[in-house]
Amino acid sequence: MRQFPSGASNLTYLVKIGEWEGVLRRPPLGPIPPKAHDMGRESALLGKLNAAYPLAPTPYFFTDDEGVIGAPFYVMERRKGVVIDDSFPEGVEPDEELCRGLSRMVAETLAELHAVDPEGAGLGDLGKPEGFLERQVKGWISRYEKARTDDVPVAGPLSDYLERGIPESPQPTIIHNDFKLNNLILSPDDLTEVRAVLDWEMTTVGDPLFDLAVSMSYWVEPGDSRALKAVLPTVTATPGFLSREEFMAYYGEKSGRDVSGMDWYLVLGYFKLAGILQQIYARWKAGQTQDERFASFGERVTTLVEHANELAGTSSSSNGL
């Protein structure tokens, strides 16, 4: 058994028994927040979702017996392919055709997920769509404050902006909640062909435009600041990829949803990402994890909060705030 190196949350391992291969998922080491990293929920979700959305891997079994490996875990099928993170596979020259093809594939894959009928997939009770955005705003403000280690002066005004501007949500859908390029397994023969979508830990039923905004918080453009590009480095900063505006417009075309009011959602998407990194950084600073990758997360949190605040200032006049 060997650990897959990427990821800053749940731990993922390749399991081999003879010719057979599977993937084991377990919570991170050290103390974890209540209700977080629920392996049973994730396994049960995949068991239903796979039939309606085949890009979700099939789970094989789950156990909450911590006597086996020290934590609850589940094992799922392994989908072989390529994961693109901050660099392209060796030998691949990313021309404009490839970059735009990748961009469109990511947008289409998200739109296809949002087209799945939650009731038809047996997941109608997965979340509570009523009041979804209000809970997201209050929840991420609370998580950020509880995990806060450094003072970021604009965090207070940013929280006020989010609380005052909550829009009315469209029809709820199944949402991934962490949808990004490096959570996709791609065909090595055609990088614009997706074989699987991974990391369903935070999946629920809620506002699809929030899911789009969360995805855009990971989508870096060539013209972004050096600090923003350093938050979570990704190949989308390569010239030729769709811009965030182009991506959202293409998603709107494929999904049939109105994306003209995405400003507020984008601010929340960046704030949510800041909250996630802040929780990880707080665990590192408290010595609850020794992974030195997390040492710079404090600076990245500040970058995200300040960037979100800039977007809020830019969009405030159009939202009447």
Side-chain angles (χ1 to χ4, degrees):
M1 186 167 74
R2 65 175 176 84
Q3 183 177 354
F4 290 104
S6 61
S9 183
N10 290 330
L11 305 180
T12 307
Y13 301 85
L14 172 64
V15 180
K16 299 184 70 171
I17 303 174
E19 296 298 315
W20 180 88
E21 294 182 344
V23 175
L24 182 151
R25 293 261 290 169
R26 58 148 292 163
L29 304 173
I32 58 176
K35 298 183 180 179
H37 310 286
D38 188 336
M39 298 294 97
R41 178 184 184 276
E42 188 173 334
S43 176
L45 159 74
L46 289 175
K48 294 179 179 179
L49 183 59
N50 171 264
Y53 189 71
L55 292 175
T58 302
Y60 294 138
F61 72 87
F62 160 76
T63 180
D64 58 2
D65 182 358
E66 297 188 10
V68 181
I69 64 169
F73 70 94
Y74 74 92
V75 175
M76 64 181 176
E77 67 170 316
R78 184 188 185 193
R79 301 270 183 97
K80 292 185 178 181
V82 175
V83 174
I84 297 179
D85 194 359
D86 59 354
S87 62
F88 283 91
E90 186 176 350
V92 173
E93 292 297 330
D95 58 17
E96 182 173 348
E97 181 181 2
L98 174 59
C99 293
R100 297 191 85 77
L102 277 167
S103 302
R104 294 189 183 102
M105 175 272 294
V106 176
E108 290 166 3
T109 303
L110 183 61
E112 288 166 5
L113 173 63
H114 293 166
V116 174
D117 174 27
E119 294 290 343
L123 295 167
D125 60 350
L126 181 63
K128 298 177 180 178
E130 187 69 29
F132 173 82
L133 287 179
E134 290 85 347
R135 290 194 305 276
Q136 290 296 314
V137 170
K138 291 179 181 178
W140 285 109
I141 290 174
S142 174
R143 293 183 194 101
Y144 175 83
E145 288 299 327
K146 287 179 180 177
R148 186 160 58 93
T149 51
D150 304 319
D151 182 39
V152 184
V154 298
L158 182 60
S159 297
D160 292 341
Y161 167 87
L162 289 169
E163 290 179 319
R164 291 198 312 267
I166 299 173
E168 183 176 348
S169 290
Q171 182 73 21
T173 69
I174 296 172
I175 63 173
H176 184 279
N177 239 336
D178 196 29
F179 192 88
K180 52 185 176 175
L181 180 57
N182 69 353
N183 272 339
L184 308 183
I185 295 180
L186 311 177
S187 167
D189 300 320
D190 179 1
L191 295 178
T192 65
E193 176 189 329
V194 60
R195 290 184 171 178
V197 179
L198 305 177
D199 287 0
W200 296 90
E201 172 189 349
M202 295 184 285
T203 300
T204 188
V205 173
D207 188 325
L209 298 184
F210 173 73
D211 211 16
L212 175 60
V214 167
S215 186
M216 291 297 88
S217 70
Y218 296 106
W219 196 268
V220 181
E221 299 177 2
D224 285 334
S225 69
R226 184 178 299 177
L228 191 60
K229 290 177 179 177
V231 170
L232 289 174
T234 169
V235 297
T236 65
T238 306
F241 276 88
L242 295 182
S243 68
R244 287 184 289 270
E245 288 295 328
E246 290 172 325
F247 185 108
M248 291 186 291
Y250 188 72
Y251 166 89
E253 176 187 327
K254 291 298 179 180
S255 67
R257 292 187 179 87
D258 181 5
V259 296
S260 61
M262 286 297 297
D263 285 348
W264 181 91
Y265 285 96
L266 288 172
V267 173
L268 179 57
Y270 282 110
F271 186 77
K272 176 192 172 183
L273 180 54
I276 292 171
L277 298 190
Q278 181 60 51
Q279 288 178 310
I280 296 171
Y281 180 65
R283 290 177 59 236
W284 178 85
K285 198 164 185 179
Q288 296 168 353
T289 177
Q290 307 301 317
D291 194 327
E292 287 302 316
R293 291 181 302 164
F294 306 148
S296 65
F297 275 25
E299 297 173 8
R300 301 184 191 193
V301 168
T302 299
T303 295
L304 287 167
V305 172
E306 291 179 345
H307 179 67
N309 188 66
E310 289 176 9
L311 288 179
T314 300
S315 62
S316 60
S317 58
S318 62
N319 286 338
L321 295 173

